[in-house]
Amino acid sequence: MSQQHCSTPEFGPRLSVIPQQIEPLSALEATYKARETEGVLDLYFFRPIGFRLARFFAKMNMSPAGVTLLACLFGIIAGHLFFYRDLRTNVAGMALLVCANALDNADGQLARLTHRESREGRIVDSLADHLVFVSIYIHLTLRYLVAGASPAILLLALAAGISHALQGAAADYYRTTYLYFATNRSRMELDSSSLLRSNFRSLTWHREPWHKFLLALYLNFTRQQEMLSPNLRKLREAGGQLFGGQIPTWLKSRYQSLAGPALKWWGLLMTNTRILILFALLFIGQPVWYFWFELIALNVLLVYLIIRQKDMADSLLEVAVRWRDSV
């Protein structure tokens, strides 16, 4: 039996196929990855602002990479302003960080608006995001060291920074996997470490040093994701092998019902939560507690979500394998 005649697994409940009229997307929503993966603050603040900025940059013929670098510059300066024990200076840093986040939204929206999405663009965007928070971590640490804090704060900041990197990697992996399985909106390539390793080896430092450097960073990032989510990695691989990237309707529906409710919790591990907590702690003059928030609250949430993710991925992988055996 060919795959095209097996859109619903024989062992599960048969889904009735009802023709549905697909509503056209608004110009703004067309620049989302998918509405369900966007946080509330993104939907009603950052995405609308980012869309206006993206249209402006498109008229200026500015590249998404240029917008990314501008966002990175704003964010790095914002991190420096958090060094000072002056609330007005800190508020200026908050304003710059909000601008940086709006520009960070705008670069991706510009790429989708002008059909210039690329792997290199995603890597540069991720690198810029990390540099912004490196600036924040370094300047918050220096703020306390200059005030006479114990050198142990270096270890605290380092542990928080590593936690941040792992949390962001896991959340990004969950979101991109959701886009692949549950929506028709994304054509984002699901890179694996094995594919990236092969691509990395095909490049030379002599001829393409910048591309090889970026790919090295991306390879390391992808390895972290696969290490944190091995069951989700197996499910992604099975999706490619069994369906060739054309996910059947029954699996999309099942994935949405199982993975969709957790998206809002994974969203708490993204940038918006961090900047809101950081701003609140800066207002009360206790930004050191941001490090503890990373280490305790967000790591507890990460562990919980990884456990839930494992159960979900195992369940869907079992369904996919049974479908293969029934074909």
Side-chain angles (χ1 to χ4, degrees):
M1 183 181 295
S2 64
Q3 180 176 320
Q4 63 182 2
H5 295 110
C6 298
S7 60
T8 304
E10 296 176 0
F11 48 84
R14 185 170 295 276
L15 301 175
S16 60
V17 180
I18 302 175
Q20 295 181 352
Q21 183 176 1
I22 301 175
E23 297 182 2
L25 297 170
S26 67
L28 170 59
E29 193 168 351
T31 64
Y32 300 165
K33 292 179 179 177
R35 186 178 182 88
E36 58 266 44
T37 65
E38 305 286 349
V40 173
L41 195 56
D42 288 320
L43 283 174
Y44 297 104
F45 183 72
F46 285 117
R47 287 305 190 191
I49 292 176
F51 179 63
R52 291 179 175 85
L53 288 171
R55 291 199 297 186
F56 169 75
F57 291 133
K59 291 179 181 179
M60 297 293 292
N61 200 28
M62 192 169 179
S63 69
V67 179
T68 299
L69 293 176
L70 185 60
C72 184
L73 178 62
F74 276 42
I76 289 173
I77 295 173
H80 171 72
L81 295 180
F82 297 150
F83 166 79
Y84 302 98
R85 289 177 173 268
D86 176 72
L87 183 57
R88 288 175 297 182
T89 304
N90 293 164
V91 169
M94 296 178 206
L96 279 177
L97 190 56
V98 169
C99 290
N101 204 15
L103 288 166
D104 186 46
N105 278 265
D107 62 5
Q109 290 174 278
L110 177 61
R112 287 183 283 277
L113 190 66
T114 58
H115 308 289
R116 298 168 73 178
E117 295 176 273
S118 66
R119 176 198 280 172
E120 182 173 315
R122 297 197 301 271
I123 300 172
V124 171
D125 184 60
S126 178
L127 176 60
D129 292 343
H130 280 83
L131 288 176
V132 169
F133 274 94
V134 165
S135 175
I136 293 172
Y137 279 55
I138 288 175
H139 286 99
L140 288 180
T141 303
L142 292 174
R143 171 178 175 149
Y144 280 92
L145 286 175
V146 169
S150 166
I153 195 172
L154 292 168
L155 295 177
L156 176 63
L158 179 61
I162 293 172
S163 297
H164 179 153
L166 296 176
Q167 293 155 11
D172 179 76
Y173 202 61
Y174 189 89
R175 185 173 62 176
T176 55
T177 305
Y178 180 89
L179 290 169
Y180 174 67
F181 277 102
T183 78
N184 290 317
R185 295 289 311 281
S186 176
R187 295 294 181 266
M188 183 179 298
E189 182 180 356
L190 291 181
D191 293 312
S192 65
S193 61
S194 58
L195 173 64
L196 292 173
R197 192 180 302 109
S198 175
N199 293 343
F200 177 77
R201 289 171 178 169
S202 68
L203 301 177
T204 63
W205 287 109
H206 176 68
R207 294 183 178 180
E208 300 168 294
W210 175 242
H211 294 289
K212 194 171 179 72
F213 171 71
L214 289 179
L215 202 56
L217 295 177
Y218 192 37
L219 174 58
N220 180 64
F221 180 70
T222 304
R223 283 171 175 165
Q224 290 178 2
Q225 293 180 316
E226 293 178 350
M227 174 193 70
L228 290 166
S229 308
N231 299 75
L232 205 57
R233 174 184 60 79
K234 292 177 182 178
L235 181 61
R236 287 166 64 139
E237 291 174 351
Q241 294 170 0
L242 296 176
F243 311 111
Q246 299 298 318
I247 306 303
T249 302
W250 65 264
L251 183 53
K252 287 180 182 179
S253 176
R254 193 172 297 221
Y255 199 98
Q256 285 175 324
S257 65
L258 292 178
L263 281 171
K264 62 180 181 295
W265 297 107
W266 281 102
L268 295 178
L269 298 177
M270 305 302 282
T271 300
N272 290 343
T273 302
R274 291 184 168 89
I275 64 175
L276 290 175
I277 295 298
L278 177 60
F279 289 179
L281 293 172
L282 284 165
F283 271 114
I284 66 174
Q286 296 295 332
V288 70
W289 288 102
Y290 173 78
F291 295 149
W292 290 110
F293 174 73
E294 281 277 8
L295 277 174
I296 300 175
L298 294 187
N299 275 338
V300 168
L301 178 60
L302 175 64
V303 171
Y304 167 72
L305 290 175
I306 285 177
I307 293 172
R308 281 192 56 180
Q309 172 190 268
K310 177 183 179 300
D311 294 339
M312 181 270 297
D314 286 345
S315 173
L316 287 169
L317 184 59
E318 180 182 356
V319 170
V321 170
R322 289 168 60 192
W323 174 89
R324 178 198 63 192
D325 294 342
S326 69
V327 174

mmCIF file of all heavy atoms in Angstrom, residues 84-111:
data_model
loop_
_atom_site.group_PDB
_atom_site.id
_atom_site.type_symbol
_atom_site.label_atom_id
_atom_site.label_comp_id
_atom_site.label_asym_id
_atom_site.label_seq_id
_atom_site.Cartn_x
_atom_site.Cartn_y
_atom_site.Cartn_z
ATOM 1 N N TYR A 84 25.907 50.121 36.392
ATOM 2 C CA TYR A 84 25.859 51.265 37.297
ATOM 3 C C TYR A 84 24.740 51.118 38.328
ATOM 4 O O TYR A 84 23.642 50.677 38.010
ATOM 5 C CB TYR A 84 25.670 52.559 36.492
ATOM 6 C CG TYR A 84 26.765 52.763 35.477
ATOM 7 C CD1 TYR A 84 26.577 52.412 34.136
ATOM 8 C CD2 TYR A 84 28.003 53.278 35.866
ATOM 9 C CE1 TYR A 84 27.590 52.585 33.205
ATOM 10 C CE2 TYR A 84 29.020 53.441 34.931
ATOM 11 C CZ TYR A 84 28.806 53.095 33.615
ATOM 12 O OH TYR A 84 29.821 53.252 32.698
ATOM 13 N N ARG A 85 25.040 51.546 39.543
ATOM 14 C CA ARG A 85 24.048 51.495 40.626
ATOM 15 C C ARG A 85 23.236 52.791 40.647
ATOM 16 O O ARG A 85 23.181 53.511 41.647
ATOM 17 C CB ARG A 85 24.741 51.274 41.967
ATOM 18 C CG ARG A 85 25.321 49.878 42.128
ATOM 19 C CD ARG A 85 26.069 49.723 43.448
ATOM 20 N NE ARG A 85 26.468 48.335 43.644
ATOM 21 C CZ ARG A 85 25.749 47.425 44.290
ATOM 22 N NH1 ARG A 85 24.581 47.776 44.814
ATOM 23 N NH2 ARG A 85 26.184 46.190 44.429
ATOM 24 N N ASP A 86 22.660 53.099 39.531
ATOM 25 C CA ASP A 86 21.842 54.298 39.381
ATOM 26 C C ASP A 86 20.600 53.911 38.605
ATOM 27 O O ASP A 86 20.706 53.441 37.452
ATOM 28 C CB ASP A 86 22.619 55.391 38.642
ATOM 29 C CG ASP A 86 21.770 56.621 38.386
ATOM 30 O OD1 ASP A 86 21.472 57.353 39.340
ATOM 31 O OD2 ASP A 86 21.382 56.817 37.206
ATOM 32 N N LEU A 87 19.440 54.081 39.201
ATOM 33 C CA LEU A 87 18.210 53.584 38.592
ATOM 34 C C LEU A 87 17.925 54.250 37.256
ATOM 35 O O LEU A 87 17.466 53.593 36.321
ATOM 36 C CB LEU A 87 17.034 53.788 39.555
ATOM 37 C CG LEU A 87 15.677 53.241 39.069
ATOM 38 C CD1 LEU A 87 15.778 51.753 38.748
ATOM 39 C CD2 LEU A 87 14.594 53.509 40.105
ATOM 40 N N ARG A 88 18.210 55.551 37.153
ATOM 41 C CA ARG A 88 17.945 56.224 35.883
ATOM 42 C C ARG A 88 18.807 55.640 34.758
ATOM 43 O O ARG A 88 18.321 55.456 33.631
ATOM 44 C CB ARG A 88 18.197 57.725 36.024
ATOM 45 C CG ARG A 88 17.143 58.450 36.863
ATOM 46 C CD ARG A 88 17.509 59.897 37.057
ATOM 47 N NE ARG A 88 18.763 60.036 37.808
ATOM 48 C CZ ARG A 88 19.309 61.198 38.150
ATOM 49 N NH1 ARG A 88 18.712 62.338 37.783
ATOM 50 N NH2 ARG A 88 20.436 61.242 38.832
ATOM 51 N N THR A 89 20.046 55.345 35.081
ATOM 52 C CA THR A 89 20.924 54.719 34.083
ATOM 53 C C THR A 89 20.417 53.321 33.737
ATOM 54 O O THR A 89 20.424 52.913 32.567
ATOM 55 C CB THR A 89 22.360 54.642 34.604
ATOM 56 O OG1 THR A 89 22.799 55.952 34.966
ATOM 57 C CG2 THR A 89 23.301 54.077 33.562
ATOM 58 N N ASN A 90 19.968 52.593 34.759
ATOM 59 C CA ASN A 90 19.430 51.258 34.523
ATOM 60 C C ASN A 90 18.169 51.299 33.659
ATOM 61 O O ASN A 90 17.966 50.444 32.789
ATOM 62 C CB ASN A 90 19.101 50.567 35.843
ATOM 63 C CG ASN A 90 20.317 50.242 36.688
ATOM 64 O OD1 ASN A 90 20.205 49.956 37.871
ATOM 65 N ND2 ASN A 90 21.502 50.292 36.084
ATOM 66 N N VAL A 91 17.325 52.305 33.901
ATOM 67 C CA VAL A 91 16.102 52.452 33.097
ATOM 68 C C VAL A 91 16.457 52.726 31.633
ATOM 69 O O VAL A 91 15.810 52.205 30.715
ATOM 70 C CB VAL A 91 15.207 53.566 33.664
ATOM 71 C CG1 VAL A 91 14.073 53.907 32.690
ATOM 72 C CG2 VAL A 91 14.620 53.137 35.006
ATOM 73 N N ALA A 92 17.506 53.523 31.423
ATOM 74 C CA ALA A 92 17.972 53.752 30.050
ATOM 75 C C ALA A 92 18.416 52.436 29.422
ATOM 76 O O ALA A 92 18.157 52.170 28.238
ATOM 77 C CB ALA A 92 19.114 54.763 30.050
ATOM 78 N N GLY A 93 19.080 51.590 30.223
ATOM 79 C CA GLY A 93 19.473 50.270 29.732
ATOM 80 C C GLY A 93 18.267 49.404 29.421
ATOM 81 O O GLY A 93 18.259 48.668 28.417
ATOM 82 N N MET A 94 17.228 49.488 30.251
ATOM 83 C CA MET A 94 16.010 48.731 29.989
ATOM 84 C C MET A 94 15.389 49.153 28.663
ATOM 85 O O MET A 94 14.939 48.306 27.865
ATOM 86 C CB MET A 94 15.005 48.938 31.121
ATOM 87 C CG MET A 94 15.442 48.413 32.467
ATOM 88 S SD MET A 94 14.185 48.774 33.737
ATOM 89 C CE MET A 94 15.202 48.810 35.222
ATOM 90 N N ALA A 95 15.341 50.476 28.431
ATOM 91 C CA ALA A 95 14.768 50.982 27.180
ATOM 92 C C ALA A 95 15.561 50.470 25.974
ATOM 93 O O ALA A 95 14.979 50.061 24.958
ATOM 94 C CB ALA A 95 14.743 52.509 27.198
ATOM 95 N N LEU A 96 16.883 50.468 26.104
ATOM 96 C CA LEU A 96 17.714 49.966 25.008
ATOM 97 C C LEU A 96 17.506 48.472 24.799
ATOM 98 O O LEU A 96 17.505 47.993 23.658
ATOM 99 C CB LEU A 96 19.186 50.244 25.296
ATOM 100 C CG LEU A 96 19.693 51.655 24.982
ATOM 101 C CD1 LEU A 96 21.155 51.795 25.403
ATOM 102 C CD2 LEU A 96 19.538 51.976 23.499
ATOM 103 N N LEU A 97 17.312 47.733 25.889
ATOM 104 C CA LEU A 97 17.106 46.288 25.761
ATOM 105 C C LEU A 97 15.765 45.986 25.100
ATOM 106 O O LEU A 97 15.651 45.044 24.306
ATOM 107 C CB LEU A 97 17.196 45.616 27.130
ATOM 108 C CG LEU A 97 17.247 44.085 27.130
ATOM 109 C CD1 LEU A 97 18.404 43.574 26.277
ATOM 110 C CD2 LEU A 97 17.388 43.551 28.566
ATOM 111 N N VAL A 98 14.742 46.788 25.406
ATOM 112 C CA VAL A 98 13.452 46.634 24.740
ATOM 113 C C VAL A 98 13.610 46.919 23.248
ATOM 114 O O VAL A 98 13.061 46.197 22.394
ATOM 115 C CB VAL A 98 12.393 47.566 25.368
ATOM 116 C CG1 VAL A 98 11.131 47.605 24.505
ATOM 117 C CG2 VAL A 98 12.047 47.100 26.775
ATOM 118 N N CYS A 99 14.371 47.974 22.917
ATOM 119 C CA CYS A 99 14.633 48.282 21.506
ATOM 120 C C CYS A 99 15.378 47.132 20.833
ATOM 121 O O CYS A 99 15.078 46.766 19.685
ATOM 122 C CB CYS A 99 15.452 49.567 21.389
ATOM 123 S SG CYS A 99 14.554 51.060 21.837
ATOM 124 N N ALA A 100 16.345 46.564 21.540
ATOM 125 C CA ALA A 100 17.111 45.444 20.996
ATOM 126 C C ALA A 100 16.202 44.253 20.723
ATOM 127 O O ALA A 100 16.323 43.586 19.682
ATOM 128 C CB ALA A 100 18.223 45.047 21.966
ATOM 129 N N ASN A 101 15.257 43.998 21.639
ATOM 130 C CA ASN A 101 14.346 42.871 21.457
ATOM 131 C C ASN A 101 13.386 43.129 20.294
ATOM 132 O O ASN A 101 13.055 42.209 19.530
ATOM 133 C CB ASN A 101 13.562 42.626 22.750
ATOM 134 C CG ASN A 101 13.052 41.197 22.853
ATOM 135 O OD1 ASN A 101 13.490 40.306 22.119
ATOM 136 N ND2 ASN A 101 12.120 40.962 23.762
ATOM 137 N N ALA A 102 12.950 44.378 20.148
ATOM 138 C CA ALA A 102 12.087 44.714 19.011
ATOM 139 C C ALA A 102 12.837 44.519 17.692
ATOM 140 O O ALA A 102 12.293 43.987 16.715
ATOM 141 C CB ALA A 102 11.597 46.156 19.140
ATOM 142 N N LEU A 103 14.093 44.933 17.663
ATOM 143 C CA LEU A 103 14.909 44.752 16.458
ATOM 144 C C LEU A 103 15.193 43.269 16.209
ATOM 145 O O LEU A 103 15.267 42.826 15.062
ATOM 146 C CB LEU A 103 16.221 45.520 16.589
ATOM 147 C CG LEU A 103 16.111 47.046 16.500
ATOM 148 C CD1 LEU A 103 17.404 47.707 16.976
ATOM 149 C CD2 LEU A 103 15.787 47.473 15.075
ATOM 150 N N ASP A 104 15.340 42.505 17.298
ATOM 151 C CA ASP A 104 15.567 41.069 17.170
ATOM 152 C C ASP A 104 14.344 40.390 16.550
ATOM 153 O O ASP A 104 14.479 39.418 15.798
ATOM 154 C CB ASP A 104 15.877 40.478 18.549
ATOM 155 C CG ASP A 104 16.266 39.012 18.471
ATOM 156 O OD1 ASP A 104 17.092 38.660 17.607
ATOM 157 O OD2 ASP A 104 15.731 38.209 19.259
ATOM 158 N N ASN A 105 13.164 40.878 16.880
ATOM 159 C CA ASN A 105 11.953 40.389 16.213
ATOM 160 C C ASN A 105 11.933 40.832 14.756
ATOM 161 O O ASN A 105 11.566 40.066 13.863
ATOM 162 C CB ASN A 105 10.705 40.911 16.924
ATOM 163 C CG ASN A 105 10.329 40.105 18.150
ATOM 164 O OD1 ASN A 105 9.505 39.211 18.092
ATOM 165 N ND2 ASN A 105 10.953 40.407 19.276
ATOM 166 N N ALA A 106 12.341 42.079 14.527
ATOM 167 C CA ALA A 106 12.255 42.652 13.187
ATOM 168 C C ALA A 106 13.155 41.937 12.191
ATOM 169 O O ALA A 106 12.793 41.803 11.015
ATOM 170 C CB ALA A 106 12.609 44.140 13.233
ATOM 171 N N ASP A 107 14.331 41.457 12.639
ATOM 172 C CA ASP A 107 15.229 40.821 11.667
ATOM 173 C C ASP A 107 14.619 39.553 11.082
ATOM 174 O O ASP A 107 14.680 39.310 9.881
ATOM 175 C CB ASP A 107 16.625 40.576 12.251
ATOM 176 C CG ASP A 107 16.632 39.626 13.443
ATOM 177 O OD1 ASP A 107 15.582 39.062 13.788
ATOM 178 O OD2 ASP A 107 17.700 39.473 14.065
ATOM 179 N N GLY A 108 13.997 38.735 11.942
ATOM 180 C CA GLY A 108 13.343 37.536 11.434
ATOM 181 C C GLY A 108 12.131 37.863 10.584
ATOM 182 O O GLY A 108 11.877 37.212 9.556
ATOM 183 N N GLN A 109 11.354 38.873 11.007
ATOM 184 C CA GLN A 109 10.190 39.275 10.223
ATOM 185 C C GLN A 109 10.609 39.845 8.870
ATOM 186 O O GLN A 109 9.950 39.615 7.859
ATOM 187 C CB GLN A 109 9.366 40.291 11.009
ATOM 188 C CG GLN A 109 8.655 39.671 12.212
ATOM 189 C CD GLN A 109 7.948 40.700 13.070
ATOM 190 O OE1 GLN A 109 8.564 41.349 13.895
ATOM 191 N NE2 GLN A 109 6.649 40.849 12.869
ATOM 192 N N LEU A 110 11.711 40.588 8.858
ATOM 193 C CA LEU A 110 12.237 41.117 7.596
ATOM 194 C C LEU A 110 12.666 39.975 6.673
ATOM 195 O O LEU A 110 12.400 40.013 5.465
ATOM 196 C CB LEU A 110 13.423 42.040 7.875
ATOM 197 C CG LEU A 110 14.144 42.616 6.644
ATOM 198 C CD1 LEU A 110 13.204 43.467 5.808
ATOM 199 C CD2 LEU A 110 15.363 43.431 7.087
ATOM 200 N N ALA A 111 13.312 38.960 7.243
ATOM 201 C CA ALA A 111 13.755 37.817 6.442
ATOM 202 C C ALA A 111 12.564 37.096 5.818
ATOM 203 O O ALA A 111 12.593 36.708 4.643
ATOM 204 C CB ALA A 111 14.571 36.859 7.306
#
